[in-house]
Amino acid sequence: MTAPVAQAVRRRVTVRGTVQGVGFRPFVHRLATDLALAGFVSNTADGVLIEVEGPPEGVAGFCDRLAAEPPPLATVTGVGVEDLPVTGADGGFGIRSTDRSPGRTHLPPDTATCADCLRELADPADRRHRHPFVTCTHCGPRFTIATGMPYDRAVTTMAGFPMCAACEREYGDPLDRRFHAQPVACLGCGPRLRLVPASGSGVRPARDADALAAARALLAAGRIVAVKGLGGYHLACDATDARAVETLRTRKARGGKPFAVMCADLDAVRRIADPSPAETAALTGPRRPIVLLRRRPGAAGLAPGVCPGSPHLGVLLPYTPVHTLLFGLPGDPPGPRVLVMTSGNRSGEPIVTDDDEALDRLAGLADAWLAHDRPIASPCDDSLLRVRPDGSEQVLRRSRGYVPRPLRLPVPVRPALAVGGDLKNALCLGAEDQAWFGPHIGDMGDLAGLAAARRAEAHLRCLTGVTPEIVAADRHPGYHSTKWAARLAGCAPVLVQHHHAHLASAMAEHGLDGTTPVIGVAFDGTGHGDDGTVWGGEILLADYRGFRRYAHLAPAPLPGGDAGVANPCRLALARLSAAGLPWDADLPCVAACAPGELAVLERQMAGGLACVPTSGMGRLFDAVSSLIGVCHRAGYEAQAAMELEAAAASAWDAETSAYAFSDDLDPAPVLRALVTDLRRGTPAPVLAARFHRAVARAVAEICRRARRDTGLATVALSGGVFANALLEEECTRLLAADGFTVLRHGEVPPNDGGLALGQLVVAAHLRQEE
């Protein structure tokens, strides 16, 4: 007897997550067609809506495979299923137009050019051969071209480029890789490249392929070219040309701060660095961040001025077709294989995105501009990370490739905006169990930075659909970001202590609900303390509701505030005074100061003039750097500490001894031992290594003491000092060996770039309790 045929079923499926602009609808269409199911799929403001009808086993298989086999760029965070009455549909499966009702969905970040598009770019037989804007549903711009949601071409900066007939066919074909790829275009209908020479440069303007060839020739000739990328302009020059690098450094007023370099391919990377498999995976992944790599000795002709004083190189690979073509395809005239690729701005300013603004603000820096006519909806600087020995990543700047991908919050929050701090600024918007970081903005100390923050906040609200009910900021009364937050809120914002926010950020990233405090180690340079002094060497017992200051670095004067930070030799003298040690002329930090400078400092500290006490651990690293003769004057933020780490790294494996802090975290015994060993002729790298190990051992000892006092066994490490790889690894090793659970940052930066997440969860938690 023949088995009865099962009756058809119909289900409505709602898919949430990053499911727009990633080829999700054609994936659904192919899946339903393969299973011979009827129905439709549509984008909505909340995600993707599907109605599917057919045999029960086919519909069940369809639902199972939705979350298990998504397209490469999709992230499914939730699937809702409900039964519907059967309609008897037999018209196949269709793709409906986008529902433009209000709501919230996730937009994917910008993604590096995929392998399929790169093959087309290099194939003379392909109609997109040498197309500088080749893209598909699996790669290319998203965040930086989106002007609204739901994501559709009409609300992107591609709206001004009508598709030709061939592109229209691809765009409308569910079986094509470019189905509803909003940036889709070709040489005939897409954006156009142009080379704009600086006035009086003698360079001729050019367009399209000629513009690329001319730009490559200029770079080979030692000139500086402003290159428009996905999220803004870069300034590029040949990284092997010492004169070109020095010219760029001088024009940009860069000081000694290292430049990032873009390599044509992995072979070029391996000539200057030795990436591990995990570092190679980070370099070649779809996010294409700048990855900090240990440089090879000599670095195959790399100009010394690329990264003076640093053992690391910031390296990235091409992530747009323009970059790939700039290096050249096979058969092209040769050009540089390693380029300095630094943000298109003057030091301290936001990255430039507007073409007219670029011609103005980068005048005098660039010899020519390689521009295009696709507008950039939001600035988005390159992300920066390092890969730890265990293969995990520590993001130091979270921007292109990550933004606006949301983070899952461990506690629900009311709609809130956190504005971060004044340095390394990045905003964070949150609602319910989601938080969205904005792109890296940088310094908020001028009008350009504040204008960039205002634009970022408006763009983030537009893309997420979140209207904040709470505004959070740092407690520092002089921060520009805090004053801006007050104007945004229309009343007093929720103020969160700086180091509490750092630790809350680490807790939130690791999914802690805040019901149990952690032992929080918050080390940075400066943060406004609750007692009116400058904090930064803090061990706090913290949850989202508040904190208790359990221990801290013994304070010392900060002579001259910011002026002191720029002069580590002055910080060293202040630390010597606090430790009761004389300013003997044989000490490097004393010798680095002119007699008049020494006299002024003596009067300052004797009278307490402009000498706010600071417990900043970052300032102690600066002071030790000068004390042992590594760096006396800092041309950029954290230079002295970075060079101290570089010195320690060169002796790390051979030198395992350590100095010792006093029980109350006073560095006086360490400073006395450093002076003694310095006079014995101990090399600076050995002194630096012993100091790093001293800090790590002091952290472990205080955490042990806190565990005995409180029973807490989870330690969170946060703050900019933990960008120091040696210190973070040694603290983690000692604490883990002692049975602690150690929370350290991954995708959220440990520095002030991650501050806003902590502000968000603390402020939302406080308001929920009111």
Side-chain angles (χ1 to χ4, degrees):
M1 183 174 177
T2 305
V5 178
Q7 290 186 340
V9 296
R10 187 177 185 88
R11 288 180 182 165
R12 174 178 292 139
V13 184
T14 305
V15 186
R16 297 178 299 281
T18 305
V19 289
Q20 293 187 19
V22 295
F24 202 86
R25 286 185 297 167
F27 155 70
V28 171
H29 179 276
R30 288 191 296 272
L31 182 57
T33 302
D34 288 347
L35 295 170
L37 302 176
F40 68 88
V41 59
S42 172
N43 278 344
T44 74
D46 292 311
V48 167
L49 174 67
I50 305 163
E51 290 194 12
V52 61
E53 184 171 322
E57 65 278 7
V59 171
F62 172 88
C63 294
D64 290 342
R65 292 172 62 184
L66 270 179
E69 304 172 9
L73 301 185
T75 302
V76 176
T77 60
V79 178
V81 179
E82 59 180 305
D83 292 328
L84 296 175
V86 175
T87 65
D90 58 3
F93 196 90
I95 297 177
R96 293 188 177 177
S97 59
T98 297
D99 171 10
R100 305 202 63 79
S101 61
R104 185 181 306 142
T105 191
H106 298 165
L107 180 71
D110 294 0
T111 307
T113 315
C114 70
D116 288 333
C117 285
L118 287 174
R119 279 192 291 271
E120 294 171 344
L121 186 71
D123 182 1
D126 194 276
R127 78 183 194 90
R128 288 191 173 83
H129 178 52
R130 293 187 179 275
H131 175 40
F133 304 94
V134 60
T135 185
C136 69
T137 54
H138 300 154
C139 68
R142 299 294 190 274
F143 173 71
T144 54
I145 63 169
T147 59
M149 289 296 285
Y151 181 67
D152 215 344
R153 192 176 181 104
V155 286
T156 72
T157 59
M158 287 299 296
F161 298 94
M163 286 179 280
C164 66
C167 287
E168 189 94 53
R169 281 194 299 273
E170 294 169 336
Y171 183 85
D173 182 358
L175 301 180
D176 194 281
R177 198 175 88 250
R178 292 187 167 88
F179 176 74
H180 278 228
Q182 308 308 342
V184 68
C186 68
L187 288 164
C189 66
R192 304 284 298 276
L193 279 176
R194 67 187 186 279
L195 185 81
V196 182
S199 177
S201 65
V203 179
R204 299 181 61 181
R207 286 194 170 274
D208 301 324
D210 292 338
L212 280 160
R216 191 182 317 115
L218 286 170
L219 292 167
R223 309 295 281 275
I224 297 166
V225 179
V227 180
K228 187 177 182 181
L230 287 181
Y233 277 83
H234 287 100
L235 291 167
C237 73
D238 183 353
T240 67
D241 186 327
R243 180 175 295 179
V245 172
E246 190 55 38
T247 298
L248 176 56
R249 189 172 289 284
T250 300
R251 290 181 184 179
K252 196 175 176 180
R254 178 86 171 183
K257 189 174 182 180
F259 283 126
V261 297
M262 179 179 282
C263 295
D265 49 35
L266 278 175
D267 286 341
V269 173
R270 293 184 178 116
R271 284 194 287 271
I272 62 173
D274 189 18
S276 68
E279 289 168 336
T280 300
L283 280 169
T284 58
R287 292 174 178 163
R288 294 292 169 93
I290 300 170
V291 181
L292 291 177
L293 303 178
R294 179 73 63 173
R295 65 185 298 175
R296 283 182 178 274
L302 202 67
V306 169
C307 55
S310 173
H312 294 99
L313 287 170
V315 179
L316 75 165
L317 289 172
Y319 56 86
T320 72
V322 170
H323 294 139
T324 301
L325 293 169
L326 189 60
F327 283 108
L329 296 179
D332 284 341
R337 305 302 287 168
V338 184
L339 296 172
V340 167
M341 196 66 74
T342 188
S343 300
N345 54 12
R346 295 184 185 274
S347 290
E349 295 182 352
I351 190 170
V352 177
T353 58
D354 179 78
D355 297 334
D356 291 337
E357 187 181 10
L359 292 172
D360 178 36
R361 283 175 56 191
L362 303 183
L365 277 70
D367 298 309
W369 287 255
L370 181 62
H372 58 75
D373 55 357
R374 183 177 68 200
I376 296 172
S378 176
C380 204
D381 226 324
D382 294 322
S383 295
L384 171 67
L385 62 81
R386 72 176 179 93
V387 179
R388 298 184 176 104
D390 65 1
S392 64
E393 296 178 357
Q394 183 192 54
V395 174
L396 300 172
R397 183 168 69 209
R398 189 181 190 274
S399 203
R400 179 187 51 77
Y402 291 86
V403 174
R405 191 164 68 91
L407 297 164
R408 180 64 62 86
L409 293 174
V411 290
V413 300
R414 286 170 54 189
L417 169 71
V419 301
D422 269 17
L423 296 176
K424 296 181 175 64
N425 182 270
L427 311 177
C428 191
L429 198 61
E432 300 169 359
D433 64 347
Q434 303 279 307
W436 293 265
F437 268 107
H440 169 80
I441 294 169
D443 190 350
M444 292 277 280
D446 57 24
L447 291 176
L450 288 169
R454 284 194 293 268
R455 290 192 296 268
E457 187 264 343
H459 193 232
L460 205 56
R461 277 196 293 110
C462 175
L463 297 186
T464 61
V466 174
T467 300
E469 301 171 8
I470 303 168
V471 178
D474 195 276
R475 279 188 190 169
H476 195 302
Y479 269 9
H480 299 279
S481 54
T482 301
K483 295 174 183 176
W484 176 56
R487 293 194 295 272
L488 274 176
C491 59
V494 180
L495 300 181
V496 181
Q497 200 279 328
H498 191 88
H499 303 96
H500 185 201
H502 271 308
L503 298 172
S505 173
M507 293 169 64
E509 183 178 6
H510 282 273
L512 272 64
D513 64 9
T515 55
T516 302
V518 301
I519 304 167
V521 183
F523 285 174
D524 61 6
T526 57
H528 185 71
D530 284 356
D531 58 2
T533 66
V534 177
W535 289 7
E538 311 306 310
I539 291 85
L540 310 178
L541 307 179
D543 55 23
Y544 296 136
R545 292 168 297 184
F547 67 90
R548 175 165 70 88
R549 197 181 190 199
Y550 180 81
H552 60 84
L553 183 70
L558 179 59
D562 289 342
V565 174
N567 294 277
C569 53
R570 299 180 188 177
L571 301 177
L573 296 175
R575 272 291 167 192
L576 289 174
S577 289
L581 296 171
W583 294 2
D584 293 331
D586 65 327
L587 297 177
C589 55
V590 177
C593 295
E597 186 178 7
L598 289 171
V600 170
L601 287 169
E602 283 179 334
R603 288 195 298 272
Q604 258 191 296
M605 282 185 263
L609 302 172
C611 283
V612 176
T614 177
S615 62
M617 184 61 76
R619 300 290 79 86
L620 178 62
F621 272 75
D622 293 343
V624 170
S625 184
S626 177
L627 175 61
I628 67 174
V630 173
C631 178
H632 302 300
R633 312 287 182 181
Y636 59 91
E637 185 194 4
Q639 178 181 352
M642 288 171 61
E643 292 184 4
L644 183 69
E645 180 190 0
S650 66
W652 191 254
D653 292 336
E655 181 55 48
T656 58
S657 61
Y659 301 121
F661 284 75
S662 68
D663 288 344
D664 57 354
L665 204 53
D666 188 336
V670 174
L671 297 171
R672 284 194 290 269
L674 282 166
V675 170
T676 299
D677 283 351
L678 188 65
R679 287 177 171 147
R680 289 173 177 161
T682 307
V686 173
L687 300 175
R690 290 174 180 172
F691 170 71
H692 276 73
R693 292 190 190 277
V695 175
R697 293 184 188 185
V699 166
E701 176 54 39
I702 292 175
C703 288
R704 283 193 291 270
R705 194 187 314 155
R707 180 172 57 188
R708 289 194 297 269
D709 291 345
T710 66
L712 300 175
T714 297
V715 177
L717 307 178
S718 191
V721 170
F722 285 110
N724 182 316
L726 290 181
L727 182 67
E728 194 213 39
E729 289 296 327
E730 185 67 0
C731 286
T732 301
R733 184 185 70 81
L734 293 175
L735 290 165
D738 215 2
F740 286 98
T741 298
V742 183
L743 311 180
R744 51 185 185 170
H745 285 279
E747 188 173 323
V748 177
N751 53 44
D752 284 6
L755 201 64
L757 177 63
Q759 292 173 350
L760 182 85
V761 292
V762 169
H765 197 95
L766 293 175
R767 282 295 171 89
Q768 284 174 345
E769 292 185 340
E770 290 179 359

